[in-house]
Amino acid sequence: MVLLPRPTPGPVPSAGPSSSLSRCPRIPSPGGTLSPLPGDTSVLAGLYGPAEVKGSRESPDGATVEVLLRPKVGLPGVAERSREQLLRRTFEAVLLGSLHPRTSITVVLQVLSDAGSLLACCLNAACMGLLDAGLPLSSLFCGVTCALDPHGDIILDPTARQEQEAHAVLTFAIDSAQRKVLATTTRGSCSAEEMQRCLVAAQRAADTIFQFYRDCVQRKYSKS
Amino acid sequence: MAGGGGAPAESRVGQVVLPGDVLLLPAYDEQDTERLPLGTSAAPRGRLLCGPGLRRCAGGLLVTKCGLLRHRRAGDGAAAAGGAYWVDSQQKRYVPVKGDHVIGIVTGKVGDVFRLDVGGSEQASLSYLAFEGATKRNRPNVQVGDLIYGQFLVANKDMEPEMVCIDSSGRASGMGVIGQDGFLFKVSLGLIRKLLAPKCEIIQELSQLYPFELVLGMNGRIWVKAKTVQQTLIIVNILEACEYMTAEQRKQALAKLSGN
């Protein structure tokens, strides 16, 4: 088991969690697993693939990506379904699915605890899961959540409370090759200029996360 | 550092690379079309092989898997810029590769082929004629649930993998049905490659304990059989633990065993 400290991303003034941890538990069954814990939000990612695909879902020219987002309690509802779609499309953008046609890649994300920035955490957990499982990716990606508080300040990695108080919450998925946006989702209202500011902050924070990925992998391979 | 500009491939050999990193090839940097290639320094560029985890892109090589970058020079001159680059990654899921020797489990007989589970996304097929000495009349004795050590004759992403238990000259050369008893378990693909490397320290150290039989499949499956069940399980436990042990820890564990 590996425990790694991670600094809060970004130089932007942030009242978010001061430090967070990520551990790599050794779970025997899935191909890749990782559960980063930004603050108090934690998600367990399990990855199965390239595996056999069932009948109608089979695609002759690429892998079928399936995402299952399991909430902490109860059954997945409409909100989870909508997030699954967003996550699935993000993965499809970076996965080189054409290398594994007629296979299925299943990403299971189990929410262990939610204290804000859940979607960003899901994205990060899934990316590390994909890395660990050794699936072909054209680049890495990460998720960053920004909240705009009533004064117009940007809060990176907001807590659940900050998310509620904020007048807009934006989540970006950013790729590592060119720091471009793969997916974005917004709750609340904000001006175009505010969104641009959030994007710049998120892109800067992404660098920290990519460096964190690199450190994680380096630790893993230092043992062999 | 991550992706962006990219680093020369040679400087990253032995280091950890992540998907999205771009490796520049020296030939692209130093290509000088003005001058005629003279002397040994400008030897013709060798053929470059792009191994697992790498793809060609505009500037050089694009990394698609995380792991350690490895390089092997082309056989001839040291000046050749060619050779093979690949990423040594620690994964669990096996993807069939032509020529790989694997251990498969027979899951069924359909007509004149056996279906084999090899751990890939699709079951492999194995003709009953692809055994040493097998003829239409003389079928090999293979039952559902048997273990088979064979190699891939056909393995690509678009077709069903096909296995054989004979080499090109029709000899079994160690392949075929694995006998009764013994113990089958799974390890990561990285450990299998380590164990299969020539002069692997782990195997050499284990062989000094007591005699045992060992079959290593590139799909991560290992079959072990020693004189007693206890001895078999000791080997299994050591091999499973090797993944997370350093060389010193392993030597200590083995010293403890050989003392008993």
Side-chain angles (χ1 to χ4, degrees):
Chain A
M1 190 172 279
V2 197
L3 271 165
L4 301 163
R6 170 160 85 87
T8 319
V12 181
S14 153
S18 58
S19 78
S20 44
L21 297 166
S22 166
R23 16 167 127 210
C24 319
R26 301 230 173 267
I27 295 174
S29 40
T33 38
L34 207 111
S35 58
L37 318 169
D40 291 315
T41 307
S42 65
V43 173
L44 184 73
L47 221 130
Y48 302 83
E52 207 160 348
V53 64
K54 285 187 202 84
S56 60
R57 302 184 68 88
E58 187 177 289
S59 140
D61 54 358
T64 311
V65 183
E66 199 178 352
V67 181
L68 298 169
L69 180 60
R70 309 287 303 184
K72 197 167 119 190
V73 283
L75 292 168
V78 177
E80 276 77 24
R81 286 271 177 277
S82 131
R83 289 188 163 178
E84 281 173 8
Q85 293 304 312
L86 180 102
L87 291 165
R88 186 174 60 81
R89 290 181 179 217
T90 313
F91 303 159
E92 280 171 351
V94 291
L95 258 176
L96 298 166
S98 60
L99 295 179
H100 298 291
R102 291 171 296 106
T103 62
S104 82
I105 293 165
T106 310
V107 185
V108 185
L109 295 161
Q110 170 68 57
V111 178
L112 299 178
S113 67
D114 178 12
S117 318
L118 181 65
L119 192 57
C121 190
C122 288
L123 281 162
N124 293 336
C127 181
M128 299 227 67
L130 288 167
L131 262 185
D132 199 39
L135 285 165
L137 304 170
S138 59
S139 70
L140 297 173
F141 61 91
C142 73
V144 184
T145 300
C146 306
L148 281 165
D149 71 359
H151 310 292
D153 292 336
I154 298 169
I155 305 167
L156 280 172
D157 255 352
T159 58
R161 195 194 186 125
Q162 285 168 331
E163 273 186 9
Q164 271 176 358
E165 286 168 357
H167 69 89
V169 180
L170 302 97
T171 302
F172 299 100
I174 294 167
D175 80 335
S176 71
Q178 291 164 302
R179 306 282 182 274
K180 283 198 174 152
V181 178
L182 292 170
T184 174
T185 171
T186 315
R187 206 204 65 215
S189 65
C190 67
S191 68
E193 188 245 341
E194 278 175 325
M195 185 170 178
Q196 288 294 338
R197 264 175 48 217
C198 285
L199 179 56
V200 170
Q203 280 171 329
R204 254 189 282 171
D207 283 340
T208 321
I209 297 175
F210 292 134
Q211 191 55 48
F212 167 71
Y213 286 164
R214 199 171 283 273
D215 294 344
C216 263
V217 175
Q218 239 146 21
R219 293 261 177 127
K220 185 182 156 198
Y221 281 93
S222 66
K223 275 186 281 184
S224 55
Chain B
M1 187 176 173
E10 268 173 35
S11 70
R12 301 295 300 273
V13 172
Q15 286 181 12
V16 169
V17 286
L18 292 184
D21 288 3
V22 175
L23 305 171
L24 300 173
L25 297 169
Y28 285 96
D29 302 336
E30 296 157 14
Q31 209 153 43
D32 196 352
T33 48
E34 298 290 306
R35 259 177 281 169
L36 278 170
L38 293 170
T40 50
S41 63
R45 218 174 98 219
R47 201 126 71 112
L48 185 101
L49 271 172
C50 193
L54 295 171
R55 298 192 100 193
R56 283 182 189 276
C57 67
L61 299 172
L62 175 72
V63 181
T64 61
K65 271 184 194 176
C66 81
L68 299 167
L69 185 71
R70 304 268 187 219
H71 176 56
R72 191 175 59 202
R73 288 202 167 279
D76 44 359
Y85 282 101
W86 74 95
V87 178
D88 212 354
S89 89
Q90 204 68 259
Q91 67 183 68
K92 287 179 179 171
R93 179 72 62 167
Y94 178 69
V95 179
V97 176
K98 190 181 168 182
D100 268 6
H101 287 78
V102 296
I103 299 176
I105 302 169
V106 181
T107 57
K109 293 186 209 177
V110 190
D112 53 1
V113 293
F114 301 114
R115 293 254 156 255
L116 257 68
D117 167 44
V118 289
S121 66
E122 220 176 336
Q123 297 206 323
S125 69
L126 170 67
S127 165
Y128 73 93
L129 291 173
F131 288 86
E132 190 185 52
T135 55
K136 283 241 171 187
R137 195 173 289 178
N138 183 19
R139 287 193 172 219
N141 181 25
V142 179
Q143 305 300 325
V144 171
D146 276 359
L147 298 180
I148 288 189
Y149 183 63
Q151 69 172 332
F152 279 111
L153 187 72
V154 175
N156 63 49
K157 63 186 168 72
D158 301 304
M159 286 163 72
E160 183 190 59
E162 195 182 324
M163 278 173 67
V164 288
C165 289
I166 43 173
D167 60 12
S168 52
S169 58
R171 297 265 154 230
S173 62
M175 289 180 283
V177 181
I178 298 175
Q180 293 297 304
D181 307 326
F183 190 86
L184 180 84
F185 63 106
K186 266 209 84 182
V187 296
S188 84
L189 304 186
L191 180 61
I192 282 286
R193 285 196 294 268
K194 204 154 81 176
L195 292 171
L196 281 170
K199 289 180 195 156
C200 165
E201 278 185 15
I202 303 170
I203 300 287
Q204 282 182 345
E205 286 164 17
L206 279 176
S207 61
Q208 283 161 8
L209 276 180
Y210 41 74
F212 61 91
E213 286 180 80
L214 185 73
V215 181
L216 300 165
M218 276 297 276
N219 55 348
R221 291 196 177 131
I222 303 181
W223 179 88
V224 190
K225 186 184 169 189
K227 218 178 210 171
T228 62
V229 175
Q230 195 189 9
Q231 287 190 339
T232 307
L233 290 175
I234 288 172
I235 301 281
V236 171
N237 286 333
I238 292 172
L239 285 174
E240 273 183 341
C242 274
E243 207 158 335
Y244 310 114
M245 280 201 291
T246 58
E248 291 90 68
Q249 284 173 324
R250 190 180 65 233
K251 282 193 179 106
Q252 276 173 4
L254 281 166
K256 218 186 269 176
L257 277 172
S258 51
N260 288 343

PDB file of all heavy atoms in Angstrom, chain B residues 32-58:
ATOM      1  N   ASP B  32      20.520  16.146 -41.601  1.00  0.00           N
ATOM      2  CA  ASP B  32      21.227  17.198 -42.323  1.00  0.00           C
ATOM      3  C   ASP B  32      21.238  16.815 -43.794  1.00  0.00           C
ATOM      4  O   ASP B  32      21.977  15.932 -44.222  1.00  0.00           O
ATOM      5  CB  ASP B  32      22.666  17.298 -41.772  1.00  0.00           C
ATOM      6  CG  ASP B  32      23.319  18.597 -42.183  1.00  0.00           C
ATOM      7  OD1 ASP B  32      22.722  19.319 -43.003  1.00  0.00           O
ATOM      8  OD2 ASP B  32      24.414  18.879 -41.680  1.00  0.00           O
ATOM      9  N   THR B  33      20.392  17.470 -44.543  1.00  0.00           N
ATOM     10  CA  THR B  33      20.266  17.070 -45.950  1.00  0.00           C
ATOM     11  C   THR B  33      21.302  17.760 -46.829  1.00  0.00           C
ATOM     12  O   THR B  33      21.512  17.368 -47.968  1.00  0.00           O
ATOM     13  CB  THR B  33      18.862  17.398 -46.473  1.00  0.00           C
ATOM     14  OG1 THR B  33      18.556  18.726 -46.089  1.00  0.00           O
ATOM     15  CG2 THR B  33      17.839  16.453 -45.894  1.00  0.00           C
ATOM     16  N   GLU B  34      21.948  18.798 -46.288  1.00  0.00           N
ATOM     17  CA  GLU B  34      22.881  19.579 -47.104  1.00  0.00           C
ATOM     18  C   GLU B  34      24.155  18.790 -47.394  1.00  0.00           C
ATOM     19  O   GLU B  34      24.653  18.770 -48.510  1.00  0.00           O
ATOM     20  CB  GLU B  34      23.249  20.875 -46.375  1.00  0.00           C
ATOM     21  CG  GLU B  34      22.082  21.794 -46.124  1.00  0.00           C
ATOM     22  CD  GLU B  34      21.550  22.417 -47.403  1.00  0.00           C
ATOM     23  OE1 GLU B  34      22.355  23.026 -48.125  1.00  0.00           O
ATOM     24  OE2 GLU B  34      20.346  22.280 -47.689  1.00  0.00           O
ATOM     25  N   ARG B  35      24.669  18.159 -46.327  1.00  0.00           N
ATOM     26  CA  ARG B  35      25.959  17.492 -46.475  1.00  0.00           C
ATOM     27  C   ARG B  35      25.793  16.023 -46.843  1.00  0.00           C
ATOM     28  O   ARG B  35      24.799  15.391 -46.487  1.00  0.00           O
ATOM     29  CB  ARG B  35      26.740  17.596 -45.161  1.00  0.00           C
ATOM     30  CG  ARG B  35      27.796  18.673 -45.216  1.00  0.00           C
ATOM     31  CD  ARG B  35      28.496  18.788 -43.894  1.00  0.00           C
ATOM     32  NE  ARG B  35      27.680  19.540 -42.945  1.00  0.00           N
ATOM     33  CZ  ARG B  35      27.949  19.608 -41.656  1.00  0.00           C
ATOM     34  NH1 ARG B  35      28.979  18.959 -41.152  1.00  0.00           N
ATOM     35  NH2 ARG B  35      27.201  20.319 -40.857  1.00  0.00           N
ATOM     36  N   LEU B  36      26.823  15.515 -47.512  1.00  0.00           N
ATOM     37  CA  LEU B  36      26.791  14.095 -47.854  1.00  0.00           C
ATOM     38  C   LEU B  36      27.173  13.282 -46.612  1.00  0.00           C
ATOM     39  O   LEU B  36      28.059  13.688 -45.855  1.00  0.00           O
ATOM     40  CB  LEU B  36      27.812  13.808 -48.960  1.00  0.00           C
ATOM     41  CG  LEU B  36      27.355  14.104 -50.380  1.00  0.00           C
ATOM     42  CD1 LEU B  36      28.558  14.007 -51.305  1.00  0.00           C
ATOM     43  CD2 LEU B  36      26.291  13.123 -50.814  1.00  0.00           C
ATOM     44  N   PRO B  37      26.524  12.167 -46.367  1.00  0.00           N
ATOM     45  CA  PRO B  37      26.917  11.360 -45.217  1.00  0.00           C
ATOM     46  C   PRO B  37      28.288  10.729 -45.428  1.00  0.00           C
ATOM     47  O   PRO B  37      28.458   9.911 -46.317  1.00  0.00           O
ATOM     48  CB  PRO B  37      25.810  10.304 -45.134  1.00  0.00           C
ATOM     49  CG  PRO B  37      25.176  10.270 -46.465  1.00  0.00           C
ATOM     50  CD  PRO B  37      25.413  11.601 -47.113  1.00  0.00           C
ATOM     51  N   LEU B  38      29.244  11.144 -44.635  1.00  0.00           N
ATOM     52  CA  LEU B  38      30.605  10.623 -44.759  1.00  0.00           C
ATOM     53  C   LEU B  38      31.047  10.075 -43.410  1.00  0.00           C
ATOM     54  O   LEU B  38      30.616  10.546 -42.366  1.00  0.00           O
ATOM     55  CB  LEU B  38      31.585  11.728 -45.188  1.00  0.00           C
ATOM     56  CG  LEU B  38      31.396  12.282 -46.608  1.00  0.00           C
ATOM     57  CD1 LEU B  38      32.257  13.506 -46.788  1.00  0.00           C
ATOM     58  CD2 LEU B  38      31.749  11.241 -47.650  1.00  0.00           C
ATOM     59  N   GLY B  39      31.907   9.085 -43.456  1.00  0.00           N
ATOM     60  CA  GLY B  39      32.467   8.548 -42.211  1.00  0.00           C
ATOM     61  C   GLY B  39      31.458   7.726 -41.434  1.00  0.00           C
ATOM     62  O   GLY B  39      30.318   7.548 -41.827  1.00  0.00           O
ATOM     63  N   THR B  40      31.904   7.266 -40.262  1.00  0.00           N
ATOM     64  CA  THR B  40      31.085   6.350 -39.475  1.00  0.00           C
ATOM     65  C   THR B  40      29.966   7.072 -38.716  1.00  0.00           C
ATOM     66  O   THR B  40      28.953   6.488 -38.411  1.00  0.00           O
ATOM     67  CB  THR B  40      31.953   5.598 -38.451  1.00  0.00           C
ATOM     68  OG1 THR B  40      32.724   6.562 -37.748  1.00  0.00           O
ATOM     69  CG2 THR B  40      32.845   4.573 -39.106  1.00  0.00           C
ATOM     70  N   SER B  41      30.195   8.352 -38.434  1.00  0.00           N
ATOM     71  CA  SER B  41      29.200   9.054 -37.621  1.00  0.00           C
ATOM     72  C   SER B  41      27.882   9.202 -38.372  1.00  0.00           C
ATOM     73  O   SER B  41      26.832   9.313 -37.759  1.00  0.00           O
ATOM     74  CB  SER B  41      29.728  10.431 -37.216  1.00  0.00           C
ATOM     75  OG  SER B  41      29.931  11.198 -38.380  1.00  0.00           O
ATOM     76  N   ALA B  42      27.959   9.190 -39.668  1.00  0.00           N
ATOM     77  CA  ALA B  42      26.740   9.366 -40.449  1.00  0.00           C
ATOM     78  C   ALA B  42      26.321   8.041 -41.091  1.00  0.00           C
ATOM     79  O   ALA B  42      25.970   7.982 -42.246  1.00  0.00           O
ATOM     80  CB  ALA B  42      26.936  10.429 -41.509  1.00  0.00           C
ATOM     81  N   ALA B  43      26.409   6.985 -40.315  1.00  0.00           N
ATOM     82  CA  ALA B  43      25.998   5.674 -40.824  1.00  0.00           C
ATOM     83  C   ALA B  43      24.514   5.718 -41.179  1.00  0.00           C
ATOM     84  O   ALA B  43      23.756   6.471 -40.572  1.00  0.00           O
ATOM     85  CB  ALA B  43      26.238   4.619 -39.761  1.00  0.00           C
ATOM     86  N   PRO B  44      24.114   4.925 -42.149  1.00  0.00           N
ATOM     87  CA  PRO B  44      22.703   4.955 -42.544  1.00  0.00           C
ATOM     88  C   PRO B  44      21.819   4.619 -41.353  1.00  0.00           C
ATOM     89  O   PRO B  44      22.144   3.751 -40.546  1.00  0.00           O
ATOM     90  CB  PRO B  44      22.619   3.884 -43.630  1.00  0.00           C
ATOM     91  CG  PRO B  44      23.849   3.058 -43.489  1.00  0.00           C
ATOM     92  CD  PRO B  44      24.887   3.962 -42.940  1.00  0.00           C
ATOM     93  N   ARG B  45      20.705   5.333 -41.278  1.00  0.00           N
ATOM     94  CA  ARG B  45      19.818   5.169 -40.129  1.00  0.00           C
ATOM     95  C   ARG B  45      19.248   3.752 -40.108  1.00  0.00           C
ATOM     96  O   ARG B  45      18.711   3.286 -41.107  1.00  0.00           O
ATOM     97  CB  ARG B  45      18.693   6.184 -40.229  1.00  0.00           C
ATOM     98  CG  ARG B  45      18.311   6.736 -38.895  1.00  0.00           C
ATOM     99  CD  ARG B  45      17.312   7.834 -39.083  1.00  0.00           C
ATOM    100  NE  ARG B  45      15.992   7.329 -38.875  1.00  0.00           N
ATOM    101  CZ  ARG B  45      14.941   7.681 -39.595  1.00  0.00           C
ATOM    102  NH1 ARG B  45      15.082   8.500 -40.599  1.00  0.00           N
ATOM    103  NH2 ARG B  45      13.765   7.206 -39.332  1.00  0.00           N
ATOM    104  N   GLY B  46      19.383   3.103 -38.987  1.00  0.00           N
ATOM    105  CA  GLY B  46      18.877   1.739 -38.872  1.00  0.00           C
ATOM    106  C   GLY B  46      17.360   1.727 -38.844  1.00  0.00           C
ATOM    107  O   GLY B  46      16.717   2.760 -38.691  1.00  0.00           O
ATOM    108  N   ARG B  47      16.825   0.542 -38.988  1.00  0.00           N
ATOM    109  CA  ARG B  47      15.374   0.416 -38.937  1.00  0.00           C
ATOM    110  C   ARG B  47      14.922   0.548 -37.483  1.00  0.00           C
ATOM    111  O   ARG B  47      15.499  -0.068 -36.597  1.00  0.00           O
ATOM    112  CB  ARG B  47      14.980  -0.951 -39.478  1.00  0.00           C
ATOM    113  CG  ARG B  47      13.552  -0.942 -39.910  1.00  0.00           C
ATOM    114  CD  ARG B  47      13.322  -1.393 -41.289  1.00  0.00           C
ATOM    115  NE  ARG B  47      13.522  -2.807 -41.478  1.00  0.00           N
ATOM    116  CZ  ARG B  47      12.508  -3.617 -41.764  1.00  0.00           C
ATOM    117  NH1 ARG B  47      11.275  -3.156 -41.755  1.00  0.00           N
ATOM    118  NH2 ARG B  47      12.721  -4.866 -42.052  1.00  0.00           N
ATOM    119  N   LEU B  48      13.913   1.357 -37.260  1.00  0.00           N
ATOM    120  CA  LEU B  48      13.447   1.572 -35.898  1.00  0.00           C
ATOM    121  C   LEU B  48      12.182   0.760 -35.648  1.00  0.00           C
ATOM    122  O   LEU B  48      11.236   0.833 -36.418  1.00  0.00           O
ATOM    123  CB  LEU B  48      13.169   3.058 -35.664  1.00  0.00           C
ATOM    124  CG  LEU B  48      12.793   3.320 -34.218  1.00  0.00           C
ATOM    125  CD1 LEU B  48      13.964   3.860 -33.458  1.00  0.00           C
ATOM    126  CD2 LEU B  48      11.627   4.254 -34.144  1.00  0.00           C
ATOM    127  N   LEU B  49      12.209  -0.011 -34.573  1.00  0.00           N
ATOM    128  CA  LEU B  49      11.041  -0.808 -34.222  1.00  0.00           C
ATOM    129  C   LEU B  49      10.310  -0.131 -33.070  1.00  0.00           C
ATOM    130  O   LEU B  49      10.927   0.322 -32.117  1.00  0.00           O
ATOM    131  CB  LEU B  49      11.474  -2.209 -33.790  1.00  0.00           C
ATOM    132  CG  LEU B  49      11.592  -3.231 -34.908  1.00  0.00           C
ATOM    133  CD1 LEU B  49      12.219  -4.497 -34.378  1.00  0.00           C
ATOM    134  CD2 LEU B  49      10.234  -3.525 -35.502  1.00  0.00           C
ATOM    135  N   CYS B  50       9.013  -0.105 -33.217  1.00  0.00           N
ATOM    136  CA  CYS B  50       8.179   0.593 -32.253  1.00  0.00           C
ATOM    137  C   CYS B  50       7.420  -0.479 -31.473  1.00  0.00           C
ATOM    138  O   CYS B  50       6.503  -1.090 -31.989  1.00  0.00           O
ATOM    139  CB  CYS B  50       7.244   1.464 -33.087  1.00  0.00           C
ATOM    140  SG  CYS B  50       6.371   2.664 -32.233  1.00  0.00           S
ATOM    141  N   GLY B  51       7.851  -0.741 -30.261  1.00  0.00           N
ATOM    142  CA  GLY B  51       7.306  -1.858 -29.500  1.00  0.00           C
ATOM    143  C   GLY B  51       6.023  -1.528 -28.764  1.00  0.00           C
ATOM    144  O   GLY B  51       5.400  -0.510 -29.028  1.00  0.00           O
ATOM    145  N   PRO B  52       5.615  -2.399 -27.821  1.00  0.00           N
ATOM    146  CA  PRO B  52       4.376  -2.174 -27.084  1.00  0.00           C
ATOM    147  C   PRO B  52       4.392  -0.855 -26.317  1.00  0.00           C
ATOM    148  O   PRO B  52       5.421  -0.466 -25.777  1.00  0.00           O
ATOM    149  CB  PRO B  52       4.327  -3.344 -26.093  1.00  0.00           C
ATOM    150  CG  PRO B  52       5.329  -4.312 -26.546  1.00  0.00           C
ATOM    151  CD  PRO B  52       6.299  -3.617 -27.407  1.00  0.00           C
ATOM    152  N   GLY B  53       3.251  -0.188 -26.316  1.00  0.00           N
ATOM    153  CA  GLY B  53       3.140   1.050 -25.553  1.00  0.00           C
ATOM    154  C   GLY B  53       3.598   2.288 -26.298  1.00  0.00           C
ATOM    155  O   GLY B  53       3.613   3.369 -25.728  1.00  0.00           O
ATOM    156  N   LEU B  54       3.984   2.132 -27.558  1.00  0.00           N
ATOM    157  CA  LEU B  54       4.451   3.293 -28.327  1.00  0.00           C
ATOM    158  C   LEU B  54       3.738   3.340 -29.672  1.00  0.00           C
ATOM    159  O   LEU B  54       3.363   2.301 -30.216  1.00  0.00           O
ATOM    160  CB  LEU B  54       5.963   3.205 -28.566  1.00  0.00           C
ATOM    161  CG  LEU B  54       6.863   3.276 -27.345  1.00  0.00           C
ATOM    162  CD1 LEU B  54       8.286   2.950 -27.735  1.00  0.00           C
ATOM    163  CD2 LEU B  54       6.811   4.659 -26.730  1.00  0.00           C
ATOM    164  N   ARG B  55       3.557   4.550 -30.157  1.00  0.00           N
ATOM    165  CA  ARG B  55       2.985   4.741 -31.501  1.00  0.00           C
ATOM    166  C   ARG B  55       3.801   5.799 -32.208  1.00  0.00           C
ATOM    167  O   ARG B  55       4.398   6.649 -31.558  1.00  0.00           O
ATOM    168  CB  ARG B  55       1.546   5.263 -31.418  1.00  0.00           C
ATOM    169  CG  ARG B  55       0.597   4.382 -30.754  1.00  0.00           C
ATOM    170  CD  ARG B  55      -0.798   4.894 -31.004  1.00  0.00           C
ATOM    171  NE  ARG B  55      -1.413   4.133 -32.073  1.00  0.00           N
ATOM    172  CZ  ARG B  55      -2.543   4.489 -32.701  1.00  0.00           C
ATOM    173  NH1 ARG B  55      -3.129   5.622 -32.411  1.00  0.00           N
ATOM    174  NH2 ARG B  55      -3.063   3.738 -33.611  1.00  0.00           N
ATOM    175  N   ARG B  56       3.773   5.752 -33.505  1.00  0.00           N
ATOM    176  CA  ARG B  56       4.476   6.796 -34.247  1.00  0.00           C
ATOM    177  C   ARG B  56       3.593   8.037 -34.329  1.00  0.00           C
ATOM    178  O   ARG B  56       2.384   7.935 -34.479  1.00  0.00           O
ATOM    179  CB  ARG B  56       4.793   6.308 -35.655  1.00  0.00           C
ATOM    180  CG  ARG B  56       5.955   5.367 -35.672  1.00  0.00           C
ATOM    181  CD  ARG B  56       6.284   4.949 -37.074  1.00  0.00           C
ATOM    182  NE  ARG B  56       7.270   3.886 -37.036  1.00  0.00           N
ATOM    183  CZ  ARG B  56       8.574   4.106 -36.926  1.00  0.00           C
ATOM    184  NH1 ARG B  56       9.039   5.342 -36.886  1.00  0.00           N
ATOM    185  NH2 ARG B  56       9.419   3.101 -36.895  1.00  0.00           N
ATOM    186  N   CYS B  57       4.206   9.188 -34.177  1.00  0.00           N
ATOM    187  CA  CYS B  57       3.460  10.427 -34.390  1.00  0.00           C
ATOM    188  C   CYS B  57       4.368  11.369 -35.170  1.00  0.00           C
ATOM    189  O   CYS B  57       5.483  11.002 -35.529  1.00  0.00           O
ATOM    190  CB  CYS B  57       2.992  11.034 -33.075  1.00  0.00           C
ATOM    191  SG  CYS B  57       4.315  11.631 -32.037  1.00  0.00           S
ATOM    192  N   ALA B  58       3.890  12.573 -35.421  1.00  0.00           N
ATOM    193  CA  ALA B  58       4.605  13.494 -36.306  1.00  0.00           C
ATOM    194  C   ALA B  58       6.059  13.707 -35.868  1.00  0.00           C
ATOM    195  O   ALA B  58       6.972  13.619 -36.675  1.00  0.00           O
ATOM    196  CB  ALA B  58       3.861  14.812 -36.348  1.00  0.00           C
TER     197      ALA B  58
END
